[in-house]
Amino acid sequence: MHNLDPAQLKAWIKQQALDLGFADCVIARPDAQAELARFKEYLKRGYHGDMKYLEENLEKRADPTLLVPGTKSIICVRMDYLVESPRPRHVPDAPNQAIIARYARGRDYHKTLRGRLKTLASQIKAKVGEFESRPFADSAPIFEKSLAENAGMGWTGKHTLLIQRQSGSFFVLGELFSSLELPFDSPATAHCGSCSACIDICPTQAIVEPYMLDARKCIAYLTIEYKGIIPEELRQGIGNRVFGCDDCQLICPWNRYAKKTSIEDFHPRHGLDQVSLLDLWHWDESTFLSNTEGSPIRRTGFQSFMRNIAIGLGNAPFSARILDALRQARDGHDEVVQVHIDWAIQQQQAKAAILS
């Protein structure tokens, strides 16, 4: 192991990562101290909402060697997840369709990423002998965007997502903490300039200033993480987005370069790329559990998923079928869902009155 040239080993590791289906691989310094001040301000403002776990382990976030002792380098990877290239700078309008964020239409990416990172670690061990390593995919207190950015994978856009100049932002990140001493890659430069497209398009105005997101207004947070009654003033902005939101990415000019995935796991299952709100409304809990097995959508839970669909039905154009379906909602919905059903009925009735 000690006879191998570190630069050559780094190049070899990157090639193995590409061969495994990762779209990029960079070597990061295990140091994210520079991110801490901005993150503390984010927490101070309460922008993390109910995600109280973000308040914990700040020291480990800033110093990855506290999370995994002995870490000398972090192998950062990304995986593209687009199945189709979206129309540039365009947010489609399909009000009766249930919009699910593109990353969540197939298999849970956490498992896909971790599995391939473990394979990469095994390949490196076969090359260099034993070394300490641990894979992560959004599964530990890690400033993963900061690490990747500092190693040149891209820059943090004004919407707070990582953007890569040749590939846009439709990708997910993973890390392999390692005890290998590898040369670090250099930081990327930022290229958002004066563009404010993501800030302007956000349906709930969750990007309160460049590079600062108020999760309490963010549709991704509200439809996935948050389990309570969604504030009434935000419901119309949510529209028909029932799990996550891609609007700030769809409008970003850099995503005209977005690449399609080579990974089968990201391909939609159960028609989730073209399913109607009414189709999902008729799912019972057993159907939900069956159709979301191995899917990120499981994270929201059945009741919250129904809550989100009820909002979508309320926001849809008037339809007698929708109104009947809401009125005939099955028993078994909890009080939170019922609040949103009642609101959706009121919305549909108001639209009917305008038409009559």
Side-chain angles (χ1 to χ4, degrees):
M1 174 176 170
H2 297 291
N3 294 327
L4 289 169
D5 177 72
Q8 290 180 339
L9 177 58
K10 170 180 162 178
W12 181 86
I13 289 172
K14 289 188 174 189
Q15 187 58 55
Q16 302 313 301
L18 296 178
D19 292 345
L20 284 169
F22 294 115
D24 197 6
C25 175
V26 296
I27 311 301
R29 186 186 305 275
D31 179 1
Q33 295 286 347
E35 180 67 13
L36 198 53
R38 188 205 66 82
F39 193 68
K40 284 182 175 178
E41 177 62 23
Y42 169 82
L43 295 174
K44 180 182 175 183
R45 296 186 190 184
Y47 287 168
H48 57 310
D50 284 350
M51 296 183 288
K52 300 303 181 186
Y53 61 88
L54 292 178
E55 300 170 10
E56 303 167 0
N57 298 304
L58 295 186
E59 299 83 3
K60 289 180 179 178
R61 290 181 185 274
D63 183 357
T65 65
L66 296 177
L67 180 64
V68 182
T71 296
K72 298 289 199 316
S73 63
I74 299 176
I75 301 167
C76 298
V77 295
R78 65 177 177 85
M79 193 173 271
D80 298 329
Y81 60 77
L82 278 183
V83 174
E84 296 179 345
S85 298
R87 184 172 146 196
R89 305 200 71 174
H90 172 71
V91 176
D93 181 28
N96 290 301
Q97 185 174 331
I99 302 301
I100 292 168
R102 284 155 179 77
Y103 81 86
R105 296 174 181 179
R107 187 168 181 257
D108 190 343
Y109 75 87
H110 300 89
K111 299 174 183 176
T112 303
L113 265 172
R114 275 200 302 270
R116 294 186 188 223
L117 283 169
K118 288 178 182 177
T119 300
L120 179 60
S122 297
Q123 292 177 343
I124 298 171
K125 283 183 182 178
K127 177 81 168 177
V128 305
E130 284 297 322
F131 75 103
E132 295 298 321
S133 67
R134 191 170 167 191
F136 295 102
D138 194 23
S139 55
I142 299 170
F143 284 141
E144 59 177 9
K145 283 184 295 183
S146 179
L147 291 170
E149 181 175 18
N150 290 339
M153 189 172 281
W155 72 93
T156 299
K158 293 177 182 178
H159 48 23
T160 75
L161 300 171
L162 203 65
I163 303 173
Q164 213 277 343
R165 196 167 185 174
Q166 285 85 34
S167 304
S169 63
F170 284 103
F171 53 77
V172 288
L173 301 174
E175 300 80 38
L176 185 67
F177 282 41
S178 109
S179 61
L180 298 173
E181 294 190 3
L182 299 169
F184 304 126
D185 285 306
S186 301
T189 51
H191 299 278
C192 283
S194 61
C195 179
S196 62
C198 59
I199 298 172
D200 300 336
I201 198 69
C202 179
T204 52
Q205 295 299 289
I207 308 169
V208 293
E209 62 185 74
Y211 315 106
M212 189 63 78
L213 178 80
D214 185 348
R216 299 168 301 180
K217 296 180 180 179
C218 177
I219 294 171
Y221 168 77
L222 290 169
T223 58
I224 300 173
E225 302 289 344
Y226 184 61
K227 305 304 180 190
I229 295 172
I230 292 176
E232 197 162 331
E233 66 270 18
L234 297 175
R235 293 177 198 168
Q236 286 189 340
I238 289 172
N240 55 335
R241 300 162 191 83
V242 301
F243 188 93
C245 179
D246 290 327
D247 287 22
C248 62
Q249 297 192 82
L250 290 168
I251 204 68
C252 177
W254 287 105
N255 273 320
R256 67 183 181 271
Y257 302 119
K259 302 292 190 295
K260 289 193 284 189
T261 186
S262 62
I263 309 298
E264 187 68 27
D265 285 350
F266 288 113
H267 285 250
R269 303 191 297 179
H270 307 293
L272 290 178
D273 57 333
Q274 50 189 2
V275 67
S276 75
L277 289 162
L278 269 179
D279 285 342
L280 291 183
W281 185 244
H282 290 119
W283 282 10
D284 56 19
E285 187 163 11
S286 63
T287 304
F288 171 81
L289 293 173
S290 173
N291 288 349
T292 60
E293 187 174 353
S295 161
I297 298 172
R298 274 280 181 96
R299 182 175 181 86
T300 194
F302 175 65
Q303 296 294 345
S304 292
F305 195 55
M306 289 295 111
R307 174 202 63 187
N308 301 341
I309 298 163
I311 290 175
L313 291 170
N315 286 324
F318 171 72
S319 160
R321 286 182 63 213
I322 287 177
L323 194 52
D324 287 344
L326 287 166
R327 285 172 171 163
Q328 296 170 18
R330 293 180 306 276
D331 294 335
H333 291 310
D334 65 18
E335 293 178 10
V336 170
V337 180
Q338 194 59 52
V339 166
H340 297 83
I341 291 174
D342 294 342
W343 175 85
I345 289 172
Q346 291 171 2
Q347 296 299 303
Q348 283 289 318
Q349 288 174 332
K351 290 169 189 172
I354 292 172
L355 293 173
S356 62

